[in-house]
Amino acid sequence: MSSSESSTVPFVPETAFGTWFLRTHTWEHHVLRVAINDLKDLIGTPLPVAPVIVDVGCGQGISFRLLAEAFKPRRIVGIDFHEPSLTLAAAAANACRPLVADIELMHGDCAQLSLPDASADIVFCHQTFHHLVEQERALAEFHRVLKPGGILLFAESTDAYIKSWVIRLLFRHPMQVQKSADGYLDMLRHGGFRFGKHNISLPYLWWSRAKDFGLLERLGLYRPRPGKRRETLVNVAAVKPG
């Protein structure tokens, strides 16, 4: 990304390590696939038939095949600001066309989407928000482009994870906007989205415990309990009211 690009949109791009990590088996199978399966289970309404899915922060497009298999969309729109990632996403889109013929890639800002009002059935936002500075503006855009009754699939790491020493060492993020699980849930509510307890999960996966990656639990030395631990992930299937 050029310096002029990075100065026009307030977000923090991945490090070189992060860009590489997004191409690994661990990312695809232990992070992305698990999140999509969990989010699908959290949807409390009938799934849209042949939906239009907007993948905000699509990165290198590894999500396209997984979204196609899970939701059988007629169209996917992948949006990202990192042009080198979009180049890789184009190859992923071509490989995925036997599953969904209509895949469009857009270079753009999540806080200013070049999409019509009420044009999407599903907005998929996976591990994108912790890179964005203008989070409330981006959320308002997600709300705008969703049809009434449309679904926001939101999966995010919390401040407990992003601020851990391992993640601070290997990645770069705008620390001033990081939120707890409750903080993200409050933000979604204030953004006009509706969801209940059955639409929320708080996964506690091994990779999200960056202090020790679950080693103490595997050794039987620690047993974290919900409500007594700092949640590291929050997944929500939220609806734009009709």
Side-chain angles (χ1 to χ4, degrees), residues 7-242:
S7 65
T8 59
V9 174
F11 88 119
V12 176
E14 292 283 7
T15 60
F17 174 85
T19 301
W20 166 82
F21 178 70
L22 296 178
R23 296 196 293 269
T24 64
H25 175 87
T26 295
W27 172 259
E28 179 174 356
H29 293 280
H30 295 283
V31 182
L32 188 54
R33 178 185 57 81
V34 171
I36 288 174
N37 289 341
D38 187 37
L39 289 166
K40 184 178 180 181
D41 288 342
L42 293 176
I43 297 173
T45 58
L47 289 175
V49 177
V52 173
I53 299 178
V54 177
D55 185 349
V56 288
C58 68
Q60 301 169 27
I62 295 175
S63 55
F64 297 158
R65 179 179 58 81
L66 298 171
L67 290 171
E69 292 172 347
F71 298 104
K72 306 297 187 292
R74 65 178 176 87
R75 184 170 187 244
I76 294 176
V77 180
I79 301 172
D80 207 281
F81 194 72
H82 188 236
E83 289 186 295
S85 290
L86 284 176
T87 299
L88 296 172
N94 287 332
C96 192
R97 293 196 198 282
L99 294 174
V100 52
D102 188 357
I103 302 179
E104 179 182 0
L105 299 180
M106 300 178 66
H107 175 248
D109 175 11
C110 286
Q112 192 172 357
L113 299 176
S114 298
L115 293 170
D117 295 355
S119 58
D121 298 289
I122 296 173
V123 170
F124 175 67
C125 182
H126 176 263
Q127 297 295 335
T128 294
F129 244 60
H130 64 264
H131 289 284
L132 304 180
V133 174
E134 297 181 315
Q135 294 185 341
E136 286 76 14
R137 283 189 62 196
L139 189 65
E141 283 290 271
F142 301 169
H143 192 276
R144 179 184 66 79
V145 303
L146 275 170
K147 299 175 182 177
I151 302 166
L152 171 63
L153 300 179
F154 182 91
E156 194 49 80
S157 295
T158 71
D159 58 349
Y161 178 67
I162 297 298
K163 294 181 178 180
S164 62
W165 72 269
V166 173
I167 302 307
R168 291 175 71 101
L169 176 67
L170 297 175
F171 303 90
R172 298 291 178 271
H173 304 105
M175 291 301 178
Q176 73 276 15
V177 298
Q178 304 305 318
K179 293 177 175 63
S180 66
D182 286 341
Y184 279 122
L185 295 174
D186 287 343
M187 182 188 68
L188 293 175
R189 290 189 188 97
H190 293 155
F193 288 95
R194 186 179 66 223
F195 53 90
K197 290 183 178 179
H198 61 289
N199 305 121
I200 303 167
S201 71
L202 301 167
Y204 203 60
L205 306 177
W206 66 267
W207 58 263
S208 75
R209 286 168 274 173
K211 290 184 178 180
D212 69 345
F213 297 106
L215 178 62
L216 293 179
E217 290 173 64
R218 288 195 293 272
L219 294 175
L221 301 176
Y222 179 56
R223 290 287 183 272
R225 293 177 294 164
K228 301 295 183 180
R229 68 192 188 203
R230 293 191 66 193
E231 301 295 351
T232 55
L233 297 171
V234 57
N235 292 346
V236 189
V239 173
K240 175 181 176 177

